[in-house]
Amino acid sequence: MRLLVLVLCSLLTLAQVAQAQVRPFDDIVASGVLKVAVYENFPPYSFQEDGQARGVDVELAQQLAASQDLKLELMWMTPGEKLDDDLRNFVWKGHYLRPEELADVMLRVPYDREFSYKRNELGEMVNELVVMFAPYQRERWQVAHDARRLKEVPSVAVFAYHPIGVEVDSVPSFYLSSAFGGRMSRNTRHYPSPPLAFAAMREGKVDAVMAMRGEIDWLLHEAADPQLKAAENAYPEMGRQQWDIGMAVHESNRQLAYALEGGLVELIGSGELAKIYARYGLRYEVPELYEGEVQAQTHGE
């Protein structure tokens, strides 16, 4: 028992010694490399194809690095149970298996005041060591349908009669299982991921799919089937139906945040970011924070 205690104490000491260190902005510039954390296997945002990194977030990361005259180093994230876990593992503390590794910036983080200032049961801020900034994408929920079996979607009430596929334990899953007194629950089919739900629609197992608009746009783009369409409707009783996605850095690295935000504003204003999205078949909607700046650049102010 005494030996076990000594071993555990030694491991704890090593973990403390190997505590991840945030790289100050000057050190990042001196290194010539920007380390950006993106989610693995998450098309159309970040994924690998034939050994090459692809996706909207990957190309955005490349542009952000270039805006600072830096080379890009991607850090691939496997999502934790909660976003808080990912922020801890890649932005301010480091994963226990690689405590010395931190990203300089993490992409695909909700730009949301309520989430930023969330507190735990003790009243402590959960993400007090994180700065969330620079929203670069407005995301929404979206339905796609096969017009051969479901000509149109005038309202989500049609799913009381037509089967629809969703990702298990997702917002669409909970919504379609409970809205309108649960009338759509018997026709809600659950799949491990939106691509698998979409594949089920192509196989005729469901007539529609609901997921994030970016994922739906990508899947429709890849399918290239004119009978597979994006529906245009709202989702009564759902609550928040759109939100902004941004970036996160350690709270001590605000200088990096300011620099990257400057690069992002240029990408949005020039239309380059919209072109990146279009290459993956995605519609681009400017986040509210930057609408005024884009209009100013459009009018040459």
Side-chain angles (χ1 to χ4, degrees), residues 79-198:
E81 292 186 6
K82 299 183 296 182
L83 178 60
D84 300 330
D85 299 332
D86 302 334
L87 291 168
R88 180 186 65 246
N89 291 337
F90 287 89
V91 175
W92 63 268
K93 185 177 183 180
H95 195 278
Y96 70 94
L97 291 177
R98 49 179 191 288
E100 74 286 354
E101 292 185 28
L102 280 180
D104 300 318
V105 58
M106 174 178 161
L107 300 188
R108 201 140 295 275
V109 177
Y111 183 77
D112 179 84
R113 181 177 179 82
E114 183 177 340
F115 179 79
S116 297
Y117 293 97
K118 181 176 65 173
R119 296 179 179 273
N120 61 21
E121 63 276 6
L122 299 177
E124 303 166 332
M125 283 184 59
V126 175
N127 295 303
E128 65 175 343
L129 297 178
V130 177
V131 173
M132 302 172 203
F133 68 104
Y136 60 88
Q137 175 187 346
R138 175 153 288 186
E139 185 63 275
R140 300 173 182 268
W141 298 111
Q142 178 72 57
V143 166
H145 61 102
D146 190 327
R148 286 165 290 230
R149 298 188 301 278
L150 178 59
K151 186 175 181 180
E152 59 182 0
V153 184
S155 80
V156 292
V158 301
F159 300 119
Y161 313 100
H162 290 268
I164 181 170
V166 296
E167 182 177 18
V168 65
D169 291 334
S170 64
V171 171
S173 169
F174 295 122
Y175 172 66
L176 291 168
S177 298
S178 60
F180 303 116
R183 283 184 291 172
M184 299 177 290
S185 61
R186 66 186 181 89
N187 279 318
T188 302
R189 309 285 187 265
H190 295 87
Y191 298 90
S193 68
L196 290 176
F198 195 88

